Amino acid sequence: MGKKRVLSGVQPTGNLHLGNYLGAIRNWVAGQSEYENFFCVVDLHAITVPHNPESLAEDTYTIAALYLACGIDLAHATIFVQSHVSAHSELAWLLNCVTPLNWLQDMIQFKEKAVKQGENVSTGLLDYPVLMAADILLYQADKVPVGEDQKQHLELTRDIAARFNHQFGKKKEPVLKLPEPLIRGEGARVMSLTDGTKKMSKSDPSELSRINLLDSPDTIAKKIKRCKTDLPKGLVFDDPERPECHNLLTIYMLVSGKTKEEVAAECADMGWGQFKPVLTEATIAALQPIQEKYHALMQEPGYLEGVLRQGREKASAIANETLTKVKVALGYSLPV
Ligand code: TRP
């Protein structure tokens, strides 16, 4: 039996931060040999909100290089850029026409982002989950690693696939595979440094709220020095009154590779003044090998281009096969 296929993607908006790494990419790396993996940089999603054309290409390369720097292994994974495989846009259009409008209007993330955009909400923002469905369904992915915030989009992907199969598939032969969520291990939810109840996020206006994977040691030290803490003596996990404390201990646990019990014992009698330098040092040490690998890759742009060219070829072959199946099911004449 072949390996199950995994697909995931990250948007090239801003830098990857510790939350992306500890909550997602690190787990992709840890499980990569069990699966046949496809990791894309979803640059078509990046323009659903206002974006900067000056930096889009560079940001896209940065994410691809960071995939490699974080340990994604080309023996197990294909890395590619979404816009390089035109089937993504094309399938999104076809799926648009089987997706009821109200399914999209009900998406939590759309409603949240739309509020922030006011009058300027694009049709693309509403359509974002259909493009994401296309990303996943094109590869007939078995599993999609998702965090809490993307669960609804994966559900929608399943609903779209089921509806398509029901309307256009033959009974015994579904055209599109329904993907399952790949739920990640406990303790991987990294929260903002300035508010322990909010997820660490690229879109938080405050740089102090997150540690980016490419932050210098000085910047990391400064951000940890200024992060939100509290007054009680001793540091503990799981106190609902102390979300920042729980978050910082969790980050320490993840970057140090220690167990929760070890960290709990080590920090039980610490104050913030003692803990912060320890956390700073462990964070810098965890990011150093990633940063070194990233900078080495950036010295060799030809290498990264080659990786993405090969990725595009491999991804296109699979994606185009699914696209053709979908078109045939819809009744299209294929070009001869
Ligand atoms: N919406 C995802 C996010 O913001 C990114 C994404 C786009 C994605 N296409 C995908 C994730 C396909 C998994 C699979 O995190």
Side-chain angles (χ1 to χ4, degrees), residues 92-148:
W93 173 256
L94 300 174
L95 296 179
N96 272 334
C97 298
V98 301
T99 306
L101 181 58
N102 67 316
W103 289 7
L104 300 180
Q105 288 164 329
D106 288 344
M107 290 287 114
I108 295 163
Q109 196 170 72
F110 170 70
K111 289 195 258 186
E112 283 174 0
K113 287 194 188 174
V115 172
K116 291 190 200 150
Q117 305 275 318
E119 295 274 285
N120 290 321
V121 178
S122 71
T123 307
L125 188 65
L126 178 70
D127 205 27
Y128 178 116
V130 180
L131 179 60
M132 178 164 161
D135 298 340
I136 297 166
L137 299 174
L138 275 176
Y139 299 89
Q140 308 281 4
D142 297 286
K143 300 210 174 257
V144 180
V146 279
E148 209 40 58

Side-chain angles (χ1 to χ4, degrees), residues 164-183:
F164 187 95
N165 289 339
H166 177 72
Q167 289 187 354
F168 303 104
K170 304 229 167 59
K171 277 272 153 336
K172 295 232 158 65
E173 260 179 88
V175 182
L176 298 170
K177 181 176 271 181
L178 271 58
E180 307 274 343
L182 185 61
I183 307 290

